[in-house]
Amino acid sequence: MAKVITVFGATGKQGGSVARALLADGTFKVRGVTRNPDSEKAQALKNAGAELEVVKADFNDAASVEAAVSGAYGVYLVTNYWELFDWQKELEQGITVVDACKKAGVKHVVYSGVELLKHIIGKPCPHFDGKGKVEKYLDAQNVPNTSVRIAFYSENFITPGLKPQKKEDGTYELVFPMYGPMHVVIVAECGPVVASVFNKPEEFIGKKIGLAGTKKTLAEYMAIISKVTGKTFTHNPMSFEDFAKLPFPGAADLSAMFEFYSNYNPDRDIELTRRLNPNMLSFEEWAEMNKDKFL
């Protein structure tokens, strides 16, 4: 009988990519976790493959989490700071899953983690720091794990509120306070990487690996977007301080992240990422496929 991988956040971008990749790989059965099994996304997931089971669980309900990981060989865990804007709650939710995995004897947890930035740059970055603390808790509990530290999503360039903004002259401008090249990855392409990690526990348990598909300056990314759209896209970076003061939730948080990306050269491994997913699209290919979404 095939081993079971429980995938949290299976209807989201990251978890959904992992669930689909595991189904395509065929080595494992997949147990997709969602808070609402009757949602449209959950129904679509149910139709994704015969080796998939969709179950209901909530991070805030320890009993449901324990049921979701019971009997599983592996668990993919992704937590979402942006839902509540509360790193302490994100940490609590991560602890709930880690404790359940330890109790169930899960053999391999793959966690979507990142660095604990407060200890690196000396200022808080809540959407990193909660995940960084979950990483440390996983290690302290001696739960066999791999942390996949995923770079800035390509998809952020087409996400409302983050995408380049149209100016009065018809051009588009990105003002992220990023100086120097930045790693980027197509989140939809991370699933096959995680499937490969689950298939190679002897290589990856106990490691923290950075995932990225490319590394360019934001001006270079904007040039590619300009080419595929036929419009003018530019990068005119604000200062870290000015960006942090912008009147939207999470502005200071994102500013701290860009300061880390600019000044501390985070460990993201393009060569390893592409070895684990040889069919990964290039940024140019992805931009061409999504060119209408930039406008």
Side-chain angles (χ1 to χ4, degrees):
M1 181 178 291
K3 297 175 181 177
V4 173
I5 303 288
T6 295
V7 178
F8 285 91
T11 56
K13 290 179 181 179
Q14 246 193 74
S17 172
V18 171
R20 289 189 294 272
L22 288 168
L23 288 170
D25 176 73
T27 303
F28 303 98
K29 287 190 174 182
V30 180
R31 184 183 296 158
V33 179
T34 178
R35 287 178 299 183
N36 183 8
D38 297 322
S39 70
E40 186 175 324
K41 288 183 178 180
Q43 292 301 315
L45 188 63
K46 288 179 181 178
N47 297 326
E51 294 300 304
L52 179 129
E53 171 192 13
V54 177
V55 300
K56 181 178 181 178
D58 189 308
F59 285 137
N60 301 312
D61 179 355
S64 72
V65 171
E66 289 181 5
V69 304
S70 178
Y73 159 79
V75 168
Y76 183 73
L77 174 60
V78 55
T79 52
N80 183 11
Y81 165 82
W82 299 109
E83 182 178 20
L84 298 172
F85 286 85
D86 186 340
W87 72 263
Q88 291 176 311
K89 191 65 177 177
E90 183 176 25
L91 173 58
E92 290 171 8
Q93 292 176 344
I95 287 173
T96 296
V97 178
V98 172
D99 289 348
C101 289
K102 185 173 183 177
K103 182 177 180 180
V106 172
K107 302 301 183 186
H108 192 181
V109 174
V110 178
Y111 179 54
S112 179
V114 282
E115 295 85 349
L116 180 52
L117 288 202
K118 189 174 183 180
H119 291 177
I120 298 173
I121 69 173
K123 63 177 66 173
C125 182
H127 83 285
F128 267 58
D129 292 341
K131 293 178 181 65
K133 288 178 180 290
V134 173
E135 279 192 353
K136 291 185 178 299
Y137 188 76
L138 260 170
D139 291 341
Q141 294 303 306
N142 294 312
V143 175
N145 77 87
T146 307
S147 184
V148 288
R149 294 172 167 176
I150 298 176
F152 190 82
Y153 296 170
S154 298
E155 287 82 353
N156 287 335
F157 292 130
I158 55 174
T159 299
L162 292 175
K163 64 191 291 186
Q165 297 299 299
K166 189 174 184 179
K167 299 168 63 179
E168 289 185 1
D169 63 3
T171 64
Y172 294 79
E173 181 181 57
L174 189 71
V175 298
F176 290 161
M178 181 68 209
Y179 300 86
M182 182 177 78
H183 289 100
V184 162
V185 72
I186 303 163
V187 67
E189 299 280 6
C190 292
V193 177
V194 173
S196 294
V197 168
F198 274 121
N199 277 307
K200 299 176 180 180
E202 69 287 346
E203 182 177 354
F204 292 109
I205 284 178
K207 292 186 177 179
K208 293 168 177 54
I209 59 174
L211 305 187
T214 189
K215 186 180 185 182
K216 302 177 184 297
T217 66
L218 288 184
E220 289 171 327
Y221 290 120
M222 293 304 103
I224 292 168
I225 295 169
S226 297
K227 181 180 178 181
V228 302
T229 61
K231 304 291 185 180
T232 299
F233 283 74
T234 59
H235 176 227
N236 296 306
M238 298 179 71
S239 69
F240 300 124
E241 294 77 14
D242 287 345
F243 191 90
K245 295 174 184 176
L246 289 176
F248 68 88
D253 193 341
L254 291 175
S255 178
M257 177 191 73
F258 286 120
E259 182 175 344
F260 172 61
Y261 286 162
S262 293
N263 297 335
Y264 292 86
N265 192 28
D267 183 12
R268 306 290 184 260
D269 193 331
I270 296 172
E271 182 178 350
L272 174 63
T273 305
R274 292 193 171 276
R275 172 166 72 84
L276 295 176
N277 180 6
N279 299 316
M280 181 176 285
L281 295 172
S282 68
F283 183 83
E284 291 87 343
E285 291 168 328
W286 173 84
E288 177 65 35
M289 292 170 61
N290 290 277
K291 59 185 177 183
D292 293 338
K293 297 177 182 178
F294 293 106
L295 305 177

